[in-house]
Amino acid sequence: MNNVASTLDYDIHIAADDPMFRGHFEGNPILPGIFQLHNLVLHRARAAWPSLERVTRISRLKFLEPIRPDEHLTIHLIREEQRVRFAIYRATRLCSSGCLWFE
């Protein structure tokens, strides 16, 4: 891969009845961080860039605002060599961000 960054954006809706909200937490559901990393970020990064192999490190991970049921989100991915920086937004509000490093 050359030194030019590759950027992708995904608009998604998190359904109110998504099973990932069950048990996390009763009466005040939020989307678990592991679901954000695996299902929202890693899944899309690997689909977009199949040459990315094993995740070796996660850095700058921040969960700034909870993601609640029935929300519309934008997932922003930037690939730079063997790392993918990500940000998950609700409108203009940053919910979470970080960087995944790959082999």
Side-chain angles (χ1 to χ4, degrees):
M1 175 153 200
N2 58 27
N3 289 331
V4 177
S6 181
T7 303
L8 295 171
D9 288 310
Y10 298 91
D11 292 321
I12 65 165
H13 175 255
I14 302 294
D17 62 349
D18 192 301
M20 290 309 297
F21 288 112
R22 286 191 207 127
H24 205 263
F25 296 97
E26 181 113 10
N28 189 23
I30 62 172
L31 195 64
I34 190 66
F35 182 86
Q36 293 177 48
L37 285 174
H38 187 268
N39 294 55
L40 301 185
V41 176
L42 184 59
H43 175 75
R44 285 171 175 79
R46 284 204 171 125
W49 302 295
S51 64
L52 295 175
E53 295 184 19
R54 186 173 66 90
V55 174
T56 58
R57 182 170 48 137
I58 300 170
S59 63
R60 299 181 181 168
L61 185 59
K62 295 181 180 165
F63 297 103
L64 302 167
E65 293 207 6
I67 297 173
R68 306 234 181 251
D70 199 32
E71 291 196 326
H72 294 276
L73 305 171
T74 298
I75 301 165
H76 182 70
L77 303 178
I78 301 172
R79 180 176 179 185
E80 300 166 325
E81 299 294 331
Q82 290 302 105
R83 73 177 179 178
V84 175
R85 290 187 295 130
F86 72 90
I88 300 174
Y89 293 92
R90 176 191 323 99
T92 60
R93 303 284 304 219
L94 180 61
C95 296
S96 57
S97 64
C99 185
L100 302 177
W101 297 78
F102 295 84
E103 284 190 327

